[in-house]
Structure formats: structure tokens, C-alpha cells
Amino acid sequence: MKNVNEGKVSQKYSGADIAKFIVPSILGIFLLMFPFQYEGETTILVALLAGKLTGALESVLPTIVTLLIICTGIGTIWYRMSQPEFMTKSPFLRGLFDVNLFWLIVRIIAIILALLTLFEIGPEAIWSEDTGGLILGDLILGLFSIFLFAAFLLPLLTDFGLLEYVGVILTPVMRPLFNLPGRSSVDCVASWIGDGTIGVTLTNKQYEDGYYTAKEASIIATTFSAVSITFTLVVLKQVELVQYFGFYYLTICLVGIVCAIIMPRIYPLRNKKEEYYAGKNEDKGELVPEGHTNHSWGLHLAVEQANKKFRDGKHISTGVKAVLDMWLGVLPSIMAFGTIALIIAESTPIFDWLGLPFLPILKLFQIPNALEVSQTMVVGFSDMFLPSVIGASVPSEMARFIIATMSVTQLVYLSEAGAVILGTRIPIDLKDLFIIFIERTIIGLPIICLMAHLIF
């Protein structure tokens, strides 16, 4: 098979050239993907560093985050009202503050909710530790630190040739199964071992840089940004079933693979456009020219990319822009969507009602405590941990197993990954997220019930 790259002369690279690809890539894997034990828990270095920073600044971080959310709102209103020249001439500032009316309203709502929560004024339903307090005092604090480190460390994975090399090697698997480029496998592994928000952030960066189409980025963010192994274990501990971890994680992987095969082929992901962000279209080098093996072509692309990045020399400025983009662009969305979703979950029976259609399925599979299980089916859309908290008191081990497994295979919960997706430039809206969440639930529930019957 031939492509535009055919005809390039194969060449041998010096050790220094190869080192420009190998050293940053290995460093990125170690920092962002390599798990290790620390104080009895499995973690990755970037998460450990983020946790240490969050702990050190815990008393002031809610105020800092609130100020960032206010800055985003003021900047957006200022741009919309007067369009100052220094903003309009800066692609970075224009991309950050030039948003439509819907996102302007979201940012204003985020300011109001952040201030009410920070000062604990107004109805307690807004700022309690189960709603706004959980978002501003817990979730966003962790994301603040993760975004900071990820902005400067993710380029080690994305910019120095690792994705080019892995992309060529794994495209023969990823394309036929999932209709995705091979490089997307790195997004999945980063989520699986590290953190789902890191996977979403990596995907958004690749989309903005022109390596994924809108459709590919949408599929990867909602299908491959898996829950980390560490957090799946936290969920299983909550329902007191740690002894079943092996079978539990096998079930999660099985559901994940089935969903990844089906979801891109149905609405809404099927209807996403095969177009690139801002007209960018970077050649991913997936087609291997004659005279090359997958390894040699992957190495060629990797070394060329690494050399290009070293010539660029804008690592610090790029990192600063990336962290400001995530802090100012994403945090307000998380504050708004996450808080509202948790208020609805805590103060109304809406999610209980939405779970009732799953009751016949649970009864069909003869699941004990079917009503209690059905009440957890949709509440996870607001926060992934809520189903296991609610389900911890259910007496049946089989029922608790289903609740715990279902909650971590639905993926797009609003208090974290879903809100991060909404805050990126990936073309997924709230309606899409909810439909995808329900589809994943419908696809996964029968599989999980059958697997539960094999063990209980």
C-alpha cells in the first residue's frame, strides 16, 4: 500500500537522533504511565506529585480555583463586549475567550456556584460536602494539580515520537477493530494505568494538533479514557468485595472491549464528522511505504518528530499555554456541570426514576435486590463513586458486584471525565454524553449480569 510518504529514502539515524526519541519517551512513560507502590497504594509519579502539591496548598487552593473561574468569566464577557485588540490578535486568547452564548452562561453559572460554595452562603444543597463542596473542595483541587503537571509532562508522550512509533505498530489492530489510529492506544493506557482525565487531556491535545478527526477524538475520549486500575480498586473496596478483584477487572475489560467495538458504529459517535480541528491535518504515517517494515517506518517517523520538537525549542511557553488553557477553559465547566449534576442527584429522585427502565432487565437475569440495583444505574452519570456509596448497604454480594462493575464501565460521569470532555474542544455536548452513558449501560449490563452469575 502506498501513500504520500512513499519514496522517502530509508536512512540510518545516529545514536543521538534516536536518543532524542527514546529518552523523552521513556521519561514520559515513567512519569505518566508506570505504576508503583507508595505507602501501600498503587500510583503513578504524576499523580503522586499532584497529590503532594494539592496537600501542600489545600487551604488556599479553593480560593485560587475560584479566582481562576472568575478570571475566565470576566475575560469571556470582556471579549464578547469589546473585543480588545490584544485578544483578537492572539490565537491563544481568542480560542480561550471567544465562546458562544451557551458557554458564556456556563462560565457565569460557574462563578456563582464557586463563590457560593467557597463562602458557604445560600442553600446548603449548593455548597454541601456532597455537592459543590465535593467539586470545589476535592475534585477540582486534584485536577488543578494534575493539569499543572500534565501540561508540562504530557508532551514527553505526545511530542517526541512515541505516538508516531506506536501508531504505526498498532494501527493494524486498532483500525479494523475500532476504526482508530494506532496512536490512540497510548491514550487508553495512560487512562488505564494513570487517570481518565489524563487520557482526555492527551486526546484533546492530539485533536487540537490535527492528529485526530472530530469523530476519532470523540470516540477515544468517551470510549478509551478508561477508569484507572487504582480507582477501580477503591470502588471495589467500598462495596467490600476486594477478594473478587481479578474477576471484577476481567469483567470491566470485557465490557470495555465490547463497547469500544459497538459504540463508534452507532449514534451519536457514528455521526461525528471526519474533519480536523481548525483545518489541521497532520499525516499520521499509518501507511507503511514499500521498503519499510512497521518498525523501521515507525522509527523513521518517531526520530523525525523528535528532531522537529528539539528544533522548535518552545517547551516552556507551550506548557504555560497548555496549563492556562486547562485551568481557565476546563475548570469552570467542571464546577458548573459537576455541581448541578450532584445537586440533582442528591436533592431529587430523578436518577432513581431514570433507573426504573433497567429493572425488567435485572429481573430477567434474576438479580437479587433488583430495585436497589436499578436505582444506581443512572446516578453514576453525576459521579462515578455514588453508585458504590449507595450500593454498599445492599445485602447481596452479586448485586454489589454488578453495581461496582457497572459504575466504572459507564465512563462519562459528569463530576470528572464528562465535565473535562465538555470543557475541551472535542465536539461532544451534554446530550451526547448522556446518550453515550445510557448506551454503555444498556450494552454492559447483560454482560455484567452473566459474568456475575458465573461467580456467585
Side-chain angles (χ1 to χ4, degrees):
M1 191 174 288
K2 299 182 180 182
N3 73 346
V4 294
N5 295 300
E6 186 173 352
K8 288 188 177 180
V9 179
S10 177
Q11 65 184 95
K12 290 186 177 181
Y13 294 99
S14 68
D17 284 332
I18 294 176
K20 290 177 183 177
F21 152 53
I22 294 292
V23 173
S25 298
I26 290 178
L27 190 58
I29 291 171
F30 175 71
L31 292 172
L32 290 153
M33 298 172 66
F34 186 78
F36 62 92
Q37 288 287 318
Y38 180 78
E39 296 183 350
E41 295 186 359
T42 302
T43 187
I44 56 173
L45 190 56
V46 68
L48 178 62
L49 294 173
K52 294 293 186 184
L53 178 62
T54 300
L57 300 177
E58 188 173 9
S59 62
V60 296
L61 267 187
T63 302
I64 293 173
V65 169
T66 301
L67 290 173
L68 289 172
I69 291 172
I70 291 172
C71 286
T72 302
I74 291 174
T76 305
I77 294 170
W78 188 13
Y79 185 92
R80 193 175 187 85
M81 292 181 65
S82 59
Q83 295 192 351
E85 186 176 349
F86 78 95
M87 282 186 171
T88 58
K89 288 188 175 181
S90 168
F92 171 69
L93 293 177
R94 192 169 63 249
L96 196 57
F97 297 117
D98 184 13
V99 298
N100 60 31
L101 181 60
F102 172 78
W103 286 108
L104 172 62
I105 294 171
V106 168
R107 291 176 176 185
I108 293 173
I109 291 173
I111 293 174
I112 296 169
L113 292 175
L115 288 172
L116 293 177
T117 301
L118 181 66
F119 296 108
E120 295 187 355
I121 55 179
E124 187 177 356
I126 293 176
W127 51 261
S128 78
E129 63 179 15
D130 295 320
T131 54
L134 177 64
I135 300 297
L136 184 62
D138 185 9
L139 172 64
I140 284 185
L141 302 194
L143 291 177
F144 174 92
S145 301
I146 285 177
F147 286 166
L148 174 62
F149 287 106
F152 291 96
L153 297 179
L154 271 179
L156 294 172
L157 288 180
T158 62
D159 293 357
F160 292 90
L162 178 64
L163 294 182
E164 280 70 20
Y165 182 78
V166 171
V168 174
I169 298 297
L170 291 183
T171 288
V173 176
M174 298 296 289
R175 274 296 177 196
L177 275 181
F178 310 118
N179 197 27
L180 293 173
R183 66 197 294 125
S184 62
S185 59
V186 177
D187 302 48
C188 183
V189 174
S191 300
W192 175 56
I193 295 177
D195 185 277
T197 57
I198 291 177
V200 173
T201 305
L202 194 158
T203 301
N204 183 56
K205 185 177 187 302
Q206 291 291 287
Y207 173 55
E208 290 181 350
D209 289 346
Y211 289 102
Y212 296 150
T213 64
K215 185 174 184 177
E216 289 169 346
S218 300
I219 292 170
I220 297 165
T222 58
T223 306
F224 282 82
S225 294
V227 177
S228 70
I229 293 175
T230 302
F231 202 82
T232 60
L233 186 56
V234 171
V235 170
L236 203 58
K237 284 181 179 178
Q238 176 66 25
V239 296
E240 299 181 355
L241 293 174
V242 176
Q243 66 271 28
Y244 297 111
F245 181 76
F247 195 84
Y248 166 72
Y249 206 78
L250 174 64
T251 307
I252 291 170
C253 292
L254 177 60
V255 173
I257 291 170
V258 172
C259 286
I261 293 172
I262 296 174
M263 295 297 297
R265 294 168 169 82
I266 60 178
Y267 178 86
L269 294 178
R270 181 190 62 192
N271 291 10
K272 296 300 177 184
K273 295 180 180 179
E274 292 281 7
E275 61 185 20
Y276 291 87
Y277 179 72
K280 298 178 182 177
N281 183 358
E282 293 290 340
D283 177 26
K284 293 182 281 288
E286 291 183 4
L287 304 181
V288 180
E290 292 181 6
H292 276 284
T293 64
N294 280 31
H295 165 71
S296 68
W297 182 239
L299 182 63
H300 165 76
L301 293 177
V303 171
E304 289 295 319
Q305 172 63 22
N307 280 328
K308 175 183 175 183
K309 189 62 182 178
F310 271 93
R311 287 194 300 269
D312 178 39
K314 296 180 179 178
H315 314 308
I316 301 299
S317 62
T318 301
V320 170
K321 287 181 178 180
V323 72
L324 288 176
D325 192 26
M326 287 186 281
W327 279 350
L328 299 176
V330 178
L331 294 184
S333 302
I334 297 173
M335 187 70 222
F337 289 115
T339 302
I340 292 171
L342 290 178
I343 291 171
I344 293 172
E346 292 292 327
S347 306
T348 75
I350 288 177
F351 286 115
D352 290 347
W353 296 340
L354 291 173
L356 287 177
F358 295 98
L359 186 57
I361 300 174
L362 294 165
K363 288 184 175 179
L364 176 66
F365 283 96
Q366 299 180 351
I367 304 303
N369 301 107
L371 179 61
E372 290 89 338
V373 175
S374 71
Q375 291 171 348
T376 69
M377 287 293 101
V378 184
V379 71
F381 185 61
S382 61
D383 181 80
M384 186 190 69
F385 201 54
L386 282 180
S388 60
V389 172
I390 297 170
S393 59
V394 175
S396 166
E397 286 192 343
M398 177 188 283
R400 298 203 306 273
F401 177 88
I402 291 169
I403 291 168
T405 311
M406 193 77 257
S407 68
V408 297
T409 55
Q410 294 165 317
L411 293 190
V412 291
Y413 47 101
L414 279 181
S415 66
E416 189 172 322
V420 174
I421 292 170
L422 291 175
T424 66
R425 293 181 174 86
I426 299 170
I428 293 283
D429 58 26
L430 186 59
K431 172 180 65 70
D432 291 336
L433 277 184
F434 186 71
I435 293 172
I436 290 167
F437 178 90
I438 295 298
E439 288 174 346
R440 293 187 66 89
T441 305
I442 293 170
I443 294 167
L445 184 57
I447 299 171
I448 294 169
C449 289
L450 289 173
M451 295 294 281
H453 276 293
L454 291 177
I455 190 171
F456 295 100

